[in-house]
Amino acid sequence: MTTRTMRNRITIAGAVLGVATATPAEAAGQCVDYQYSIGGDGGCVANIQTLLNAFKTGGPQLEVDGQFGEQTRTAVMALQSTFGVEPDGVVGPDTWAQMCTPHMGPGPITWYPYDAARASGCNI
C-alpha cells in the first residue's frame, strides 16, 4: 500500500468516526508551538540563537549553530530575567512571547531579526 493510499484511508476513517486528522504540514506546527531546552537542535534552535543575539548586550554573541547547549541556556536565562520570565533556561510560551516582540516601536527596528522571528512563527 502506498503512503498516499494509507493517508487517504486514515483520513476517511477519521471522517467516518468524527475525528479530526491533520495533514503532515499542519501537524508539524511552528517553532513557537514547542519548547526548547538543553539538547535541542535544528533550525528552530538556530532562530532562537539569532533572536537571543539581537537582544544580547555585552559579552560574546552566541554561535548560531542550531545546538541548544549551555551557552544558549545561559543566554535564555539572561533574557528571561531581563523580561520578568521565570529564568528556567527553557524557551516556552512566555519566552517566545518576549523574543517575538522587538520591545521598541513603532515601525521596523533596525537591530531586530525579523526573518528569524517570522521563520519561527512569530506574528510580526
Side-chain angles (χ1 to χ4, degrees):
M1 181 179 316
T2 67
T3 302
R4 175 178 271 163
T5 303
M6 179 58 106
R7 190 177 320 134
N8 289 343
R9 287 184 180 180
I10 291 170
T11 302
I12 291 168
V16 169
L17 295 172
V19 176
T21 57
T23 66
E26 292 168 337
Q30 296 179 317
C31 301
V32 296
D33 297 328
Y34 299 96
Q35 293 189 17
Y36 297 88
S37 61
I38 290 281
D41 62 5
C44 290
V45 174
N47 289 340
I48 289 168
Q49 292 168 327
T50 299
L51 289 161
L52 288 169
N53 280 340
F55 284 102
K56 194 169 184 180
T57 57
Q61 295 286 294
L62 293 170
E63 179 181 350
V64 179
D65 60 3
Q67 301 296 313
F68 199 120
E70 192 57 44
Q71 290 180 339
T72 301
R73 180 178 181 273
T74 299
V76 168
M77 291 176 71
L79 178 124
Q80 290 170 326
S81 293
T82 299
F83 292 111
V85 176
E86 180 66 33
D88 59 4
V90 176
V91 178
D94 293 338
T95 305
W96 275 117
Q98 297 305 318
M99 290 193 308
C100 287
T101 306
H103 294 277
M104 296 171 68
I109 307 304
T110 56
W111 56 265
Y112 188 74
Y114 287 93
D115 290 342
R118 288 184 184 110
S120 296
C122 296
N123 188 19
I124 57 170

